[in-house]
Amino acid sequence: MARVAVVTGGTRGIGEAISVALKDAGYKVAANYAGNDERARAFTDKTGIAAFKWDVSSLDDCVAGMAKVEAALGPVEIIVNNAGITRDATMKKMNRNAWDEVLDTNLGGCFNMCKAGWDGMLNRSFGRIVNIGSINGQAGQYGQVNYAAAKSGIHGFTKALSQEGAAKGITVNAIAPGYIDTDMVAAVPADVLEKIVARIPVKRLGHAHEIARGVLFLVAEDAGFITGSTISINGGQHMY
Ligand code: CAA
């Protein structure tokens, strides 16, 4: 039986590539999204992958959303915590709201989804959790104290939860993408982005499917000995 995977933020950007790669590899996929109905409809029309709308920053919404996915597709055995937002600003200009939104969505969402899926994984003695961190959580980034803190938190969360899952058949790993050619990176001012790309040894932005490749590796049946690890996929920009 094909295993069921939920990808948060799974209808656009890196999440879309992950959803499609999992489907192409034979998994049953549910793509979560928070707001953009139009893009989600277009995604489902194009890929045939069902999209489920809920806000990962709410634990109640995650519990309800996961129940809907399970009713439609079966028990969730793979969770890819990909949903993330940016509210970049220097400390001088960043308000508390920009801090809370990014922490609640990027890091809180990771907790909420794992909380919603954890008992089922324990009961079935199988689970694969992949958390999408960031190079900016590893190295920091000017104008991103909120995002860097949340993503760095994801890396710590991954190492801690992996220890709880290790003897129970549940692996918990992270991927730390560098700068990938998504809408999120396109929002970085062009002159700033140009300087960032110039510092990437591979000399280009990454592609979303290059992150999906790492997810497929980590969720595989024979990846049971890989847990608590972080795979950096960043064109050599930061070696960690
Ligand atoms: N290092 C040093 N100084 C920097 C700097 C840097 N990297 N970036 C900007 N500055 C300086 C400018 O030179 C300028 O200095 P002066 O005032 O002395 O001239 C000053 O900062 C500008 O500060 P402001 O607060 O006025 O800046 P701003 O409002 O124009 O915007 C910013 C600042 C929000 C940080 C903007 O530069 C920006 O968006 N930078 C990109 C941040 C980034 O890389 N975000 C990643 C998004 S994608 C992502 O996060 C995905 C992933 O996981 C990789």
Side-chain angles (χ1 to χ4, degrees), residues 86 88-90 93 134-136 141-144 147 177-179 184-185 188-189 192 196:
T86 51
D88 294 355
T90 52
K93 293 182 183 170
S134 168
I135 187 175
N136 293 348
Q141 169 62 38
Y142 193 102
Q144 281 201 312
Y147 187 88
Y179 282 73
M184 181 183 275
V185 167
V188 173
V192 176
I196 291 171

Side-chain angles (χ1 to χ4, degrees), residues 26 32 51 69 83 92-94 96-97 102 104 108 114-115 144 165 172 176 179 189 197 222 231 237:
N32 151 269
V69 170
K92 197 171 171 57
K93 293 182 183 170
M94 187 178 292
R96 178 65 202 223
N97 208 33
V102 169
D104 289 351
C114 289
K115 183 76 186 159
Q144 281 201 312
V172 187
Y179 282 73
V197 174
D222 59 359
I231 300 181
Q237 191 183 348

